[in-house]
Amino acid sequence: MTQDKTGDVRILTTVTIQEVLDGRSYRAALANGKRILAFAMPLDRVPPLQVGDRSKAILSLCDFNEARLLPEDMTGVRVDHPIIDGGGHVRA
């Protein structure tokens, strides 16, 4: 029996930092203006970000309220879900 894995898929996009909350969490905006919570995982090597910076991020199909920030070079970054390209990527 197979299961529908749609809920496990992540969408790759770019966010713009709106507010720095602490060293690993931020308020960010999607391209459509929606404000979300964005966070960096400790082992992902995301550099400290400032207001106005852009970063790659992945969103869950089930929850567009938060995103995991990713470094530009994803070598060694572990993502346990399939990722689809959501478009709109601009290099930081």
Side-chain angles (χ1 to χ4, degrees):
M1 186 165 117
T2 62
Q3 287 185 317
D4 179 10
K5 298 276 187 178
T6 304
D8 292 332
V9 174
R10 299 296 186 255
I11 300 171
L12 179 64
T13 191
T14 300
V15 298
T16 303
I17 302 303
Q18 302 289 307
E19 178 183 356
V20 177
L21 301 176
D22 65 32
R24 290 191 343 230
S25 60
Y26 307 86
R27 295 253 184 251
L30 299 174
N32 67 0
K34 178 173 174 46
R35 289 178 54 104
I36 62 170
L37 177 64
F39 61 91
M41 299 292 285
L43 298 178
D44 284 349
R45 302 174 333 277
V46 174
L49 300 169
Q50 302 298 320
V51 172
D53 287 349
R54 295 173 62 90
S55 178
K56 288 195 313 187
I58 51 175
L59 299 157
S60 168
L61 282 176
C62 299
D63 185 0
F64 274 36
N65 291 312
E66 67 178 36
R68 176 180 167 186
L69 299 170
L70 298 172
E72 201 54 46
D73 177 6
M74 289 182 47
T75 304
V77 173
R78 181 177 170 179
V79 178
D80 294 330
H81 307 280
I83 298 175
I84 58 174
D85 191 338
H89 308 296
V90 177
R91 288 194 164 259

